[in-house]
Structures are given as C-alpha cells and as structure tokens.
Amino acid sequence: MMNLTGLYAVPLALLMIGLSAYVSALRAKTSISILDGGNIALAERIRRHGNFTESVPMAVLLMAFAEAGGTAELLIHCAGLSLVIGRVLHPIGLFHDRPVTFARIAGGSLTWISMLISMLGIGFNQWAG
C-alpha cells in the first residue's frame, strides 16, 4: 500500500527547512537572536515560516486521517498537490507593505482547499462508508 501523505510530507518538510534556514541566515547576519529586533525583512521571514508551521501540520494530519480512512487516492493527490502548491506560493506573496498579492491569496486559498478536501474525505468515510 502506497503512503500518499508521506509523498507530500517530504517536499513540505524540505520547504519548512528552507524557510527556517532563510530566517536563521538573516538572524546570523543581523545578530538578532529572538523576535525581529525591528528588522522588517526578518519579520517577514519569520511570518513566512510561522504561517507555514501554523497550517501545514493540521493539513498533513487531515490528509493522513483521510488516507487511513480509505479516501480515494485521487482526492488525496488533490489535497496534497493543493497543499504543496499553496505552501510554495504563500511565502512568495507575503510582504508587510503588500497585504494583497496573488501568490499570498492563492497560497492561503489552496491550503484551505487542501484541508477541506481532506475533511470531506474523512466525513464521507465516517458517515457514508
């Protein structure tokens, strides 16, 4: 049996590591150990990483529960692709002085769509299966 959730968790983990390293690199350059020290570039990087870590774990858990419950592989792929694409787009469009960008809105929306697909799969498995 293929583990589809794991297939999508790997690129997401790599992205998380990349976002974390991006924060760490600027922390090292600016010698700012905690918070953002008033550095707006660091604040943006922290939020990009923070937004990722606030939403991805729940989305991956929902995918795993949906997959374990027997949700169709096509739906797991839809959830996984939506999540990966959304989480790539979101940090590209996140800026303190531009609250509305295509990448930010599309990234956030795709993340929510991913969660909704998984939740619908779980619900269908529980109540109709």
Side-chain angles (χ1 to χ4, degrees):
M1 178 179 202
M2 182 182 262
N3 180 343
L4 296 179
T5 301
L7 178 70
Y8 293 101
V10 169
L12 290 165
L14 290 171
L15 183 55
M16 185 183 77
I17 290 168
L19 290 169
S20 180
Y22 196 51
V23 172
S24 295
L26 190 53
R27 285 194 183 285
K29 183 178 178 182
T30 59
S31 298
I32 299 170
S33 177
I34 59 170
L35 300 175
D36 61 33
N39 183 312
I40 203 68
L42 182 56
E44 286 179 347
R45 290 182 188 194
I46 291 168
R47 280 315 316 144
R48 288 178 185 124
H49 180 259
N51 285 349
F52 184 97
T53 60
E54 290 163 2
S55 59
V56 171
M58 179 56 72
V60 171
L61 276 172
L62 288 169
M63 278 181 60
F65 287 134
E67 182 178 8
T71 297
E73 287 186 7
L74 178 61
L75 289 178
I76 300 301
H77 282 297
C78 289
L81 286 171
S82 295
L83 184 58
V84 170
I85 293 167
R87 296 329 300 174
V88 167
L89 286 175
H90 190 267
I92 292 170
L94 185 62
F95 299 96
H96 79 283
D97 58 348
R98 289 183 278 159
V100 179
T101 64
F102 171 79
R104 183 179 189 177
I105 301 304
S109 297
L110 285 168
T111 300
W112 294 346
I113 289 168
S114 170
M115 289 191 221
L116 288 170
I117 291 168
S118 295
M119 288 186 290
L120 289 171
I122 293 166
F124 182 79
N125 294 336
Q126 292 295 311
W127 292 292

